[in-house]
Coordinates of all heavy atoms in Angstrom, one line a residue:
M1 N 15.0 -6.2 6.4 CA 13.7 -6.6 7.0 C 12.8 -7.0 5.9 O 12.7 -6.4 4.8 CB 13.1 -5.4 7.8 CG 11.8 -5.7 8.4 SD 11.1 -4.2 9.2 CE 11.6 -4.7 10.9
Y2 N 12.0 -8.1 6.2 CA 11.1 -8.7 5.2 C 10.1 -7.7 4.6 O 9.8 -7.6 3.4 CB 10.4 -9.9 5.8 CG 9.5 -10.6 4.9 CD1 10.1 -11.3 3.8 CD2 8.2 -10.7 5.1 CE1 9.3 -12.1 3.0 CE2 7.4 -11.4 4.3 CZ 7.9 -12.1 3.2 OH 7.1 -12.8 2.4
S3 N 9.5 -6.9 5.5 CA 8.5 -5.9 5.0 C 9.0 -4.9 4.1 O 8.4 -4.5 3.1 CB 7.8 -5.2 6.2 OG 8.7 -4.5 7.0
E4 N 10.3 -4.5 4.3 CA 10.9 -3.5 3.4 C 11.2 -4.1 2.0 O 11.0 -3.4 1.0 CB 12.2 -3.0 4.0 CG 12.0 -2.0 5.2 CD 11.2 -0.8 4.8 OE1 11.4 -0.2 3.7 OE2 10.2 -0.5 5.5
Q5 N 11.5 -5.4 2.0 CA 11.7 -6.1 0.7 C 10.4 -6.1 -0.1 O 10.4 -5.8 -1.3 CB 12.2 -7.5 0.9 CG 13.6 -7.6 1.4 CD 14.0 -9.0 1.7 OE1 13.2 -9.9 2.0 NE2 15.3 -9.3 1.6
I6 N 9.3 -6.4 0.6 CA 8.0 -6.4 -0.1 C 7.6 -5.0 -0.5 O 7.1 -4.8 -1.6 CB 6.9 -7.0 0.9 CG1 7.2 -8.5 1.0 CG2 5.5 -6.8 0.3 CD1 6.3 -9.2 2.0
R7 N 7.8 -4.0 0.4 CA 7.5 -2.6 0.0 C 8.2 -2.2 -1.2 O 7.6 -1.6 -2.1 CB 7.8 -1.7 1.2 CG 7.5 -0.2 0.9 CD 8.1 0.7 1.9 NE 7.8 0.4 3.3 CZ 6.8 1.0 4.0 NH1 6.0 1.9 3.4 NH2 6.6 0.6 5.2
E8 N 9.5 -2.4 -1.3 CA 10.3 -2.0 -2.4 C 9.8 -2.8 -3.7 O 9.7 -2.1 -4.7 CB 11.8 -2.3 -2.2 CG 12.4 -1.4 -1.1 CD 13.8 -1.8 -0.8 OE1 14.4 -2.7 -1.4 OE2 14.3 -1.2 0.2
N9 N 9.5 -4.1 -3.6 CA 9.1 -4.8 -4.7 C 7.8 -4.3 -5.2 O 7.6 -4.1 -6.4 CB 9.0 -6.3 -4.3 CG 8.4 -7.1 -5.5 OD1 7.2 -7.3 -5.6 ND2 9.3 -7.7 -6.3
W10 N 6.8 -4.0 -4.3 CA 5.5 -3.5 -4.7 C 5.6 -2.1 -5.3 O 4.9 -1.8 -6.3 CB 4.6 -3.5 -3.5 CG 4.1 -4.9 -3.2 CD1 4.5 -6.1 -3.8 CD2 3.2 -5.3 -2.2 NE1 3.8 -7.2 -3.2 CE2 3.0 -6.7 -2.2 CE3 2.5 -4.5 -1.2 CZ2 2.2 -7.3 -1.3 CZ3 1.6 -5.2 -0.4 CH2 1.5 -6.6 -0.4
E11 N 6.4 -1.3 -4.7 CA 6.6 0.1 -5.3 C 7.2 0.0 -6.7 O 6.7 0.7 -7.6 CB 7.5 0.9 -4.4 CG 6.8 1.4 -3.1 CD 7.8 2.2 -2.2 OE1 9.0 2.4 -2.5 OE2 7.3 2.6 -1.1
Y12 N 8.1 -0.9 -6.9 CA 8.7 -1.1 -8.3 C 7.6 -1.5 -9.2 O 7.6 -1.2 -10.4 CB 9.8 -2.1 -8.2 CG 10.4 -2.5 -9.5 CD1 11.3 -1.6 -10.2 CD2 10.0 -3.7 -10.2 CE1 11.8 -1.9 -11.4 CE2 10.6 -4.0 -11.4 CZ 11.5 -3.1 -12.0 OH 12.0 -3.4 -13.2
R13 N 6.7 -2.4 -8.8 CA 5.6 -2.9 -9.6 C 4.4 -2.0 -9.6 O 3.4 -2.3 -10.3 CB 5.1 -4.3 -9.0 CG 6.2 -5.3 -9.2 CD 6.1 -6.6 -8.4 NE 4.8 -7.2 -8.6 CZ 4.3 -8.1 -7.7 NH1 5.0 -8.5 -6.7 NH2 3.1 -8.7 -8.0
G14 N 4.4 -0.8 -9.0 CA 3.4 0.2 -9.0 C 2.3 0.0 -8.0 O 1.1 0.4 -8.3
Y15 N 2.6 -0.6 -6.8 CA 1.6 -0.7 -5.8 C 2.0 0.1 -4.5 O 3.1 0.3 -4.3 CB 1.5 -2.2 -5.4 CG 0.8 -3.1 -6.4 CD1 1.4 -3.6 -7.5 CD2 -0.6 -3.4 -6.2 CE1 0.7 -4.4 -8.4 CE2 -1.3 -4.2 -7.1 CZ -0.6 -4.7 -8.2 OH -1.3 -5.5 -9.1
S16 N 0.9 0.4 -3.8 CA 1.2 1.0 -2.5 C 1.5 -0.1 -1.5 O 1.6 -1.2 -1.8 CB -0.1 1.8 -2.0 OG -1.2 0.8 -1.8
F17 N 1.7 0.3 -0.2 CA 2.1 -0.7 0.8 C 1.5 -0.3 2.1 O 1.7 0.9 2.6 CB 3.6 -0.8 1.0 CG 4.0 -1.8 2.0 CD1 4.1 -3.1 1.8 CD2 4.3 -1.3 3.3 CE1 4.5 -4.0 2.7 CE2 4.7 -2.2 4.3 CZ 4.8 -3.6 4.0
G18 N 0.7 -1.2 2.8 CA 0.2 -0.9 4.1 C 0.2 -2.2 4.9 O 0.5 -3.3 4.4
V19 N -0.1 -2.0 6.2 CA 0.0 -3.1 7.2 C -1.3 -3.1 8.0 O -1.7 -2.1 8.5 CB 1.2 -3.0 8.1 CG1 1.2 -4.1 9.1 CG2 2.5 -2.8 7.4
F20 N -1.9 -4.3 8.1 CA -3.0 -4.6 9.0 C -2.5 -5.5 10.1 O -1.8 -6.5 9.8 CB -4.2 -5.2 8.3 CG -5.1 -4.2 7.6 CD1 -5.3 -4.3 6.2 CD2 -5.8 -3.2 8.3 CE1 -6.2 -3.4 5.6 CE2 -6.6 -2.3 7.7 CZ -6.8 -2.4 6.3
K21 N -3.0 -5.3 11.3 CA -2.8 -6.2 12.4 C -4.1 -6.5 13.0 O -4.8 -5.5 13.5 CB -1.8 -5.5 13.5 CG -0.5 -5.2 12.9 CD 0.4 -4.5 13.9 CE 1.8 -4.2 13.3 NZ 2.7 -3.6 14.2
D22 N -4.6 -7.7 12.9 CA -5.9 -8.1 13.3 C -5.9 -9.1 14.5 O -5.1 -10.0 14.6 CB -6.7 -8.7 12.2 CG -6.9 -7.7 11.0 OD1 -7.0 -6.5 11.3 OD2 -6.9 -8.2 9.9
S23 N -6.9 -8.9 15.3 CA -7.1 -9.9 16.4 C -7.9 -11.1 15.9 O -8.5 -11.0 14.9 CB -7.9 -9.2 17.6 OG -9.1 -8.7 17.1
P24 N -7.8 -12.2 16.7 CA -8.5 -13.4 16.3 C -10.0 -13.1 16.0 O -10.6 -12.4 16.8 CB -8.3 -14.3 17.5 CG -7.1 -13.9 18.1 CD -7.1 -12.4 17.9
G25 N -10.5 -13.7 14.9 CA -11.9 -13.5 14.6 C -12.2 -12.3 13.8 O -13.4 -12.1 13.3
R26 N -11.3 -11.4 13.6 CA -11.5 -10.2 12.8 C -11.8 -10.5 11.3 O -11.2 -11.3 10.7 CB -10.3 -9.2 12.8 CG -10.4 -8.0 12.0 CD -11.5 -7.1 12.6 NE -11.4 -5.7 12.1 CZ -12.3 -5.1 11.3 NH1 -13.3 -5.7 10.9 NH2 -12.1 -3.9 10.9
V27 N -12.9 -9.9 10.8 CA -13.3 -10.1 9.4 C -13.5 -8.8 8.7 O -14.1 -7.9 9.2 CB -14.6 -10.9 9.4 CG1 -15.1 -11.1 7.9 CG2 -14.5 -12.2 10.1
W28 N -12.8 -8.7 7.5 CA -13.0 -7.6 6.6 C -13.9 -8.2 5.5 O -13.4 -8.9 4.6 CB -11.7 -7.1 6.0 CG -10.8 -6.6 7.1 CD1 -9.9 -7.3 7.8 CD2 -10.7 -5.3 7.6 NE1 -9.2 -6.5 8.7 CE2 -9.7 -5.2 8.6 CE3 -11.4 -4.1 7.3 CZ2 -9.4 -4.1 9.3 CZ3 -11.0 -2.9 8.0 CH2 -10.1 -2.9 9.0
A29 N -15.2 -7.9 5.5 CA -16.1 -8.6 4.7 C -16.6 -7.8 3.5 O -16.9 -6.6 3.6 CB -17.4 -9.1 5.5
D30 N -16.7 -8.5 2.3 CA -17.3 -8.0 1.1 C -16.8 -6.7 0.6 O -17.6 -5.8 0.3 CB -18.9 -8.0 1.3 CG -19.4 -9.4 1.6 OD1 -18.9 -10.4 1.1 OD2 -20.5 -9.4 2.3
F31 N -15.5 -6.6 0.5 CA -14.9 -5.3 0.0 C -14.8 -5.4 -1.5 O -14.6 -6.5 -2.1 CB -13.5 -5.1 0.6 CG -13.6 -4.5 2.0 CD1 -13.9 -5.3 3.1 CD2 -13.5 -3.1 2.1 CE1 -14.0 -4.7 4.3 CE2 -13.6 -2.5 3.4 CZ -13.8 -3.3 4.5
V32 N -14.9 -4.3 -2.2 CA -14.7 -4.2 -3.6 C -13.8 -2.9 -3.8 O -14.2 -1.8 -3.3 CB -16.0 -4.1 -4.4 CG1 -15.7 -3.9 -5.9 CG2 -16.9 -5.3 -4.2
H33 N -12.8 -3.0 -4.6 CA -11.9 -1.9 -4.9 C -11.9 -1.7 -6.4 O -11.9 -2.7 -7.1 CB -10.5 -2.1 -4.3 CG -10.5 -2.4 -2.9 ND1 -10.8 -1.5 -1.9 CD2 -10.1 -3.5 -2.2 CE1 -10.7 -2.1 -0.7 NE2 -10.2 -3.3 -0.9
S34 N -11.7 -0.5 -6.9 CA -11.7 -0.2 -8.3 C -10.3 -0.5 -8.9 O -10.0 -0.2 -10.1 CB -12.1 1.2 -8.6 OG -11.2 2.1 -7.9
T35 N -9.4 -1.0 -8.1 CA -8.0 -1.3 -8.5 C -7.5 -2.6 -8.0 O -8.1 -3.2 -7.1 CB -7.0 -0.2 -8.0 OG1 -5.8 -0.4 -8.6 CG2 -6.9 -0.1 -6.5
D36 N -6.5 -3.2 -8.7 CA -6.0 -4.5 -8.2 C -5.4 -4.3 -6.8 O -4.9 -3.2 -6.5 CB -4.9 -5.0 -9.2 CG -5.4 -5.3 -10.6 OD1 -6.6 -5.6 -10.7 OD2 -4.6 -5.3 -11.5
E37 N -5.4 -5.4 -6.1 CA -4.8 -5.4 -4.7 C -3.9 -6.6 -4.6 O -4.2 -7.7 -5.1 CB -5.9 -5.5 -3.7 CG -5.4 -5.4 -2.2 CD -6.6 -5.4 -1.2 OE1 -7.8 -5.5 -1.6 OE2 -6.3 -5.4 0.0
L38 N -2.8 -6.5 -3.8 CA -2.0 -7.6 -3.4 C -2.0 -7.7 -1.9 O -2.2 -6.7 -1.1 CB -0.5 -7.3 -3.8 CG -0.2 -7.1 -5.3 CD1 1.2 -6.8 -5.5 CD2 -0.6 -8.4 -6.0
V39 N -2.0 -9.0 -1.4 CA -2.0 -9.3 0.0 C -0.9 -10.3 0.3 O -0.7 -11.3 -0.5 CB -3.3 -9.8 0.5 CG1 -3.2 -10.4 1.9 CG2 -4.4 -8.8 0.4
V40 N -0.1 -10.1 1.4 CA 0.9 -11.1 1.8 C 0.8 -11.2 3.3 O 0.8 -10.2 4.1 CB 2.4 -10.6 1.5 CG1 3.4 -11.5 2.2 CG2 2.6 -10.6 0.0
L41 N 0.6 -12.5 3.8 CA 0.5 -12.8 5.2 C 1.9 -12.8 5.8 O 2.9 -13.4 5.2 CB -0.1 -14.2 5.4 CG -0.2 -14.6 6.8 CD1 -1.1 -13.7 7.7 CD2 -0.7 -16.1 6.9
A42 N 2.1 -12.0 6.9 CA 3.4 -11.9 7.6 C 3.5 -12.8 8.9 O 4.5 -13.3 9.2 CB 3.8 -10.5 7.9
E43 N 2.4 -12.8 9.6 CA 2.3 -13.5 10.9 C 0.9 -14.0 11.0 O -0.1 -13.4 10.7 CB 2.6 -12.6 12.1 CG 4.0 -12.0 12.1 CD 4.2 -11.0 13.2 OE1 3.4 -11.1 14.2 OE2 5.1 -10.2 13.1
G44 N 0.7 -15.2 11.6 CA -0.6 -15.7 12.0 C -1.2 -16.5 10.8 O -0.5 -17.1 10.0
E45 N -2.6 -16.5 10.8 CA -3.3 -17.2 9.8 C -4.4 -16.3 9.2 O -5.1 -15.6 10.0 CB -4.0 -18.4 10.4 CG -3.0 -19.5 10.9 CD -3.8 -20.6 11.6 OE1 -4.4 -21.4 10.8 OE2 -3.8 -20.6 12.8
I46 N -4.7 -16.4 7.9 CA -5.8 -15.7 7.3 C -6.5 -16.6 6.3 O -5.8 -17.6 5.8 CB -5.5 -14.4 6.6 CG1 -4.4 -14.5 5.5 CG2 -5.1 -13.3 7.7 CD1 -4.2 -13.2 4.7
E47 N -7.7 -16.3 6.0 CA -8.4 -16.9 4.9 C -8.9 -15.8 4.0 O -9.4 -14.8 4.6 CB -9.6 -17.7 5.4 CG -10.5 -18.3 4.3 CD -11.7 -19.0 4.8 OE1 -12.4 -18.4 5.6 OE2 -11.9 -20.2 4.4
I48 N -8.6 -15.9 2.7 CA -9.1 -14.9 1.8 C -10.1 -15.5 0.8 O -9.8 -16.5 0.2 CB -7.9 -14.3 1.0 CG1 -6.8 -13.7 2.0 CG2 -8.3 -13.3 0.0 CD1 -5.6 -13.2 1.3
E49 N -11.2 -14.9 0.7 CA -12.2 -15.3 -0.2 C -12.4 -14.3 -1.3 O -12.6 -13.1 -1.0 CB -13.6 -15.5 0.6 CG -14.7 -16.0 -0.3 CD -16.0 -16.2 0.5 OE1 -15.9 -16.6 1.7 OE2 -17.0 -16.0 0.0
I50 N -12.2 -14.7 -2.5 CA -12.3 -13.8 -3.7 C -13.4 -14.4 -4.6 O -13.2 -15.5 -5.1 CB -11.0 -13.7 -4.4 CG1 -9.9 -13.3 -3.5 CG2 -11.1 -12.8 -5.6 CD1 -8.5 -13.4 -4.1
E51 N -14.5 -13.6 -4.8 CA -15.6 -14.1 -5.6 C -16.0 -15.5 -5.3 O -16.3 -16.3 -6.1 CB -15.1 -14.0 -7.1 CG -14.9 -12.6 -7.6 CD -16.1 -11.8 -7.7 OE1 -17.2 -12.3 -8.1 OE2 -16.1 -10.5 -7.4
G52 N -16.1 -15.8 -4.0 CA -16.7 -17.0 -3.5 C -15.7 -18.2 -3.4 O -16.0 -19.3 -2.9
K53 N -14.4 -18.0 -3.8 CA -13.4 -19.0 -3.7 C -12.4 -18.7 -2.6 O -11.8 -17.6 -2.6 CB -12.6 -19.1 -5.1 CG -13.5 -19.6 -6.2 CD -12.8 -19.8 -7.5 CE -13.7 -20.2 -8.6 NZ -13.0 -20.3 -9.9
S54 N -12.3 -19.6 -1.6 CA -11.4 -19.4 -0.5 C -10.0 -20.0 -0.7 O -9.9 -21.0 -1.3 CB -12.1 -20.0 0.8 OG -13.2 -19.3 1.1
Q55 N -9.1 -19.3 0.0 CA -7.7 -19.8 0.0 C -7.1 -19.4 1.4 O -7.5 -18.4 2.0 CB -6.9 -19.3 -1.1 CG -6.8 -17.8 -1.3 CD -6.1 -17.4 -2.6 OE1 -4.9 -17.7 -2.7 NE2 -6.8 -16.8 -3.5
K56 N -6.2 -20.2 1.8 CA -5.5 -20.0 3.1 C -4.0 -19.8 2.8 O -3.3 -20.8 2.9 CB -5.8 -21.1 4.1 CG -7.2 -21.2 4.5 CD -7.5 -22.4 5.4 CE -9.0 -22.5 5.6 NZ -9.3 -23.7 6.4
P57 N -3.5 -18.6 2.5 CA -2.1 -18.5 2.1 C -1.2 -18.8 3.3 O -1.6 -18.5 4.5 CB -2.0 -17.0 1.7 CG -3.2 -16.3 2.4 CD -4.3 -17.4 2.5
Q58 N -0.1 -19.2 3.0 CA 1.0 -19.4 4.0 C 1.8 -18.1 4.2 O 1.7 -17.2 3.3 CB 1.9 -20.6 3.6 CG 1.3 -21.9 3.4 CD 0.6 -22.4 4.7 OE1 1.3 -22.5 5.7 NE2 -0.7 -22.7 4.6
I59 N 2.5 -18.0 5.3 CA 3.3 -16.8 5.5 C 4.2 -16.6 4.3 O 4.9 -17.5 3.8 CB 4.1 -16.9 6.8 CG1 3.1 -16.8 8.0 CG2 5.2 -15.8 6.9 CD1 3.7 -17.1 9.3
G60 N 4.2 -15.4 3.7 CA 5.0 -15.1 2.6 C 4.4 -15.2 1.2 O 4.9 -14.7 0.2
D61 N 3.2 -15.9 1.2 CA 2.5 -16.1 -0.1 C 1.9 -14.8 -0.5 O 1.3 -14.1 0.3 CB 1.4 -17.2 0.0 CG 1.9 -18.6 0.1 OD1 3.1 -18.8 -0.1 OD2 1.1 -19.5 0.4
E62 N 2.0 -14.5 -1.8 CA 1.4 -13.3 -2.3 C 0.0 -13.7 -3.0 O 0.0 -14.6 -3.8 CB 2.3 -12.6 -3.4 CG 1.7 -11.3 -3.9 CD 2.6 -10.6 -4.9 OE1 3.5 -9.9 -4.4 OE2 2.4 -10.8 -6.1
V63 N -1.0 -13.0 -2.6 CA -2.3 -13.2 -3.2 C -2.7 -12.0 -4.0 O -2.7 -10.9 -3.5 CB -3.4 -13.5 -2.1 CG1 -4.8 -13.7 -2.7 CG2 -3.0 -14.7 -1.2
F64 N -3.2 -12.2 -5.2 CA -3.6 -11.2 -6.1 C -5.2 -11.1 -6.1 O -5.8 -12.1 -6.3 CB -3.2 -11.5 -7.5 CG -3.7 -10.5 -8.6 CD1 -3.2 -9.2 -8.7 CD2 -4.7 -10.9 -9.4 CE1 -3.6 -8.3 -9.6 CE2 -5.2 -10.0 -10.4 CZ -4.6 -8.7 -10.5
I65 N -5.7 -9.9 -5.8 CA -7.1 -9.7 -5.8 C -7.4 -8.7 -7.0 O -7.1 -7.6 -6.9 CB -7.6 -9.1 -4.5 CG1 -7.2 -10.0 -3.3 CG2 -9.1 -8.9 -4.5 CD1 -7.5 -9.5 -2.0
P66 N -8.1 -9.2 -8.0 CA -8.4 -8.4 -9.2 C -9.3 -7.2 -8.8 O -10.2 -7.3 -8.0 CB -9.0 -9.3 -10.2 CG -8.7 -10.7 -9.7 CD -8.6 -10.6 -8.2
A67 N -9.2 -6.1 -9.6 CA -10.1 -5.0 -9.4 C -11.5 -5.4 -9.5 O -11.8 -6.3 -10.3 CB -9.7 -3.9 -10.4
N68 N -12.4 -4.8 -8.8 CA -13.8 -5.0 -8.8 C -14.3 -6.4 -8.4 O -15.4 -6.8 -8.7 CB -14.4 -4.7 -10.2 CG -14.0 -3.3 -10.6 OD1 -14.3 -2.3 -9.9 ND2 -13.4 -3.1 -11.8
S69 N -13.4 -7.1 -7.7 CA -13.8 -8.4 -7.1 C -14.3 -8.3 -5.7 O -13.6 -7.6 -4.9 CB -12.6 -9.4 -7.1 OG -12.1 -9.6 -8.5
I70 N -15.4 -9.0 -5.4 CA -15.8 -9.0 -4.0 C -14.9 -9.9 -3.2 O -14.7 -11.1 -3.6 CB -17.3 -9.5 -3.9 CG1 -18.2 -8.6 -4.7 CG2 -17.7 -9.7 -2.5 CD1 -19.6 -9.1 -4.8
H71 N -14.3 -9.4 -2.1 CA -13.4 -10.2 -1.4 C -13.5 -10.0 0.1 O -14.0 -8.9 0.6 CB -12.0 -10.0 -1.8 CG -11.5 -8.6 -1.7 ND1 -11.9 -7.6 -2.6 CD2 -10.7 -8.0 -0.8 CE1 -11.3 -6.4 -2.2 NE2 -10.6 -6.7 -1.1
T72 N -13.2 -11.0 0.9 CA -13.2 -11.0 2.4 C -11.9 -11.5 2.9 O -11.4 -12.5 2.4 CB -14.4 -11.8 2.8 OG1 -15.6 -11.2 2.4 CG2 -14.5 -11.9 4.4
V73 N -11.4 -10.9 4.0 CA -10.2 -11.4 4.6 C -10.6 -11.7 6.1 O -11.2 -10.8 6.8 CB -9.1 -10.4 4.6 CG1 -7.8 -11.0 5.3 CG2 -8.7 -10.1 3.1
R74 N -10.3 -12.9 6.6 CA -10.6 -13.3 7.9 C -9.3 -13.8 8.7 O -8.6 -14.5 8.1 CB -11.6 -14.5 7.9 CG -12.9 -14.3 7.2 CD -13.7 -15.6 7.2 NE -14.9 -15.4 6.5 CZ -15.0 -15.6 5.2 NH1 -14.0 -16.1 4.5 NH2 -16.2 -15.4 4.5
N75 N -9.2 -13.4 9.9 CA -8.2 -13.9 10.8 C -8.8 -15.2 11.4 O -9.7 -15.2 12.2 CB -7.8 -13.0 12.0 CG -6.8 -13.6 12.8 OD1 -6.5 -14.8 12.8 ND2 -6.1 -12.7 13.7
I76 N -8.4 -16.4 10.9 CA -8.9 -17.6 11.3 C -8.0 -18.3 12.4 O -8.3 -19.4 12.8 CB -9.1 -18.6 10.1 CG1 -7.7 -18.8 9.4 CG2 -10.1 -18.1 9.2 CD1 -7.8 -19.9 8.4
G77 N -7.0 -17.6 12.8 CA -6.1 -18.2 13.9 C -6.5 -17.8 15.3 O -7.5 -17.1 15.5
K78 N -5.8 -18.4 16.2 CA -6.1 -18.1 17.6 C -5.2 -17.0 18.2 O -5.3 -16.7 19.4 CB -5.8 -19.4 18.4 CG -6.7 -20.5 18.1 CD -6.5 -21.8 18.9 CE -7.3 -22.9 18.7 NZ -8.3 -23.0 17.7
T79 N -4.4 -16.4 17.3 CA -3.5 -15.3 17.8 C -3.7 -14.1 16.8 O -4.3 -14.2 15.7 CB -2.0 -15.7 17.7 OG1 -1.7 -16.0 16.4 CG2 -1.8 -16.9 18.6
N80 N -3.1 -12.9 17.2 CA -3.1 -11.8 16.3 C -2.4 -12.1 15.0 O -1.5 -13.0 15.0 CB -2.5 -10.6 17.0 CG -3.3 -10.0 18.1 OD1 -4.5 -10.3 18.2 ND2 -2.6 -9.3 19.0
N81 N -2.8 -11.5 13.9 CA -2.0 -11.7 12.7 C -1.5 -10.4 12.2 O -1.9 -9.3 12.6 CB -2.9 -12.4 11.6 CG -4.0 -11.6 11.1 OD1 -4.1 -10.4 11.3 ND2 -4.9 -12.3 10.5
V82 N -0.6 -10.4 11.2 CA -0.1 -9.3 10.5 C -0.1 -9.6 9.0 O 0.4 -10.7 8.6 CB 1.3 -8.9 10.9 CG1 1.9 -7.7 10.1 CG2 1.4 -8.6 12.4
W83 N -0.7 -8.7 8.2 CA -0.7 -8.9 6.8 C -0.5 -7.6 6.1 O -0.9 -6.5 6.6 CB -1.9 -9.7 6.3 CG -3.2 -9.2 6.7 CD1 -3.8 -9.3 7.9 CD2 -4.2 -8.5 5.9 NE1 -5.1 -8.8 7.9 CE2 -5.3 -8.2 6.7 CE3 -4.2 -8.1 4.6 CZ2 -6.5 -7.6 6.2 CZ3 -5.3 -7.4 4.1 CH2 -6.4 -7.2 4.9
Y84 N 0.2 -7.7 4.9 CA 0.5 -6.5 4.1 C -0.5 -6.4 3.0 O -0.9 -7.5 2.5 CB 1.9 -6.6 3.6 CG 3.0 -6.9 4.6 CD1 4.0 -7.8 4.4 CD2 3.0 -6.2 5.8 CE1 4.9 -8.1 5.3 CE2 4.0 -6.4 6.8 CZ 5.0 -7.4 6.5 OH 5.9 -7.6 7.4
Y85 N -0.8 -5.2 2.6 CA -1.7 -5.0 1.5 C -1.2 -3.9 0.6 O -0.6 -2.9 1.1 CB -3.2 -4.8 1.9 CG -3.3 -3.5 2.7 CD1 -3.7 -2.3 2.0 CD2 -3.0 -3.4 4.0 CE1 -3.8 -1.1 2.6 CE2 -3.1 -2.2 4.7 CZ -3.5 -1.0 4.0 OH -3.6 0.2 4.6
G86 N -1.5 -3.9 -0.7 CA -1.1 -2.8 -1.5 C -2.1 -2.7 -2.7 O -2.6 -3.7 -3.2
Y87 N -2.4 -1.5 -3.1 CA -3.3 -1.2 -4.2 C -2.5 -0.7 -5.4 O -1.5 0.1 -5.3 CB -4.3 -0.2 -3.8 CG -5.1 -0.6 -2.6 CD1 -5.0 0.1 -1.4 CD2 -6.1 -1.6 -2.7 CE1 -5.7 -0.3 -0.3 CE2 -6.8 -2.0 -1.6 CZ -6.6 -1.3 -0.4 OH -7.4 -1.7 0.7
K88 N -2.9 -1.2 -6.6 CA -2.2 -0.7 -7.8 C -2.4 0.8 -8.0 O -3.6 1.3 -7.9 CB -2.8 -1.5 -9.0 CG -2.2 -1.1 -10.3 CD -0.8 -1.8 -10.5 CE -0.3 -1.6 -11.9 NZ 1.1 -2.0 -12.0
N89 N -1.3 1.5 -8.2 CA -1.4 2.9 -8.4 C -2.1 3.2 -9.7 O -1.8 2.6 -10.7 CB -0.1 3.6 -8.4 CG 0.6 3.4 -7.0 OD1 0.0 3.4 -6.0 ND2 1.9 3.2 -7.0
K90 N -3.0 4.2 -9.8 CA -3.7 4.5 -11.0 C -2.9 5.5 -11.8 O -2.1 6.2 -11.4 CB -5.1 5.1 -10.7 CG -5.9 4.0 -10.0 CD -7.3 4.6 -9.7 CE -8.2 3.5 -9.1 NZ -9.5 3.9 -8.9

């Protein structure tokens, strides 16, 4: 399973693993974490804004969010989405 491959890879690299499932229009706005974060889109569409720069990753693309960066994740699609996130273990 694809999620298990990502989980194993991230654990090897020292990251946690979690799953978000968001409805259309859901926004996680202006978050800041004290540790690095990884995000991978599994289903649907998202836009990730990091320090004012937006990107629209394709399914399977890994996005790196540096520690202490202001970031927002938006479901910009017309359907539910699924995305994986992980935080660097301290």
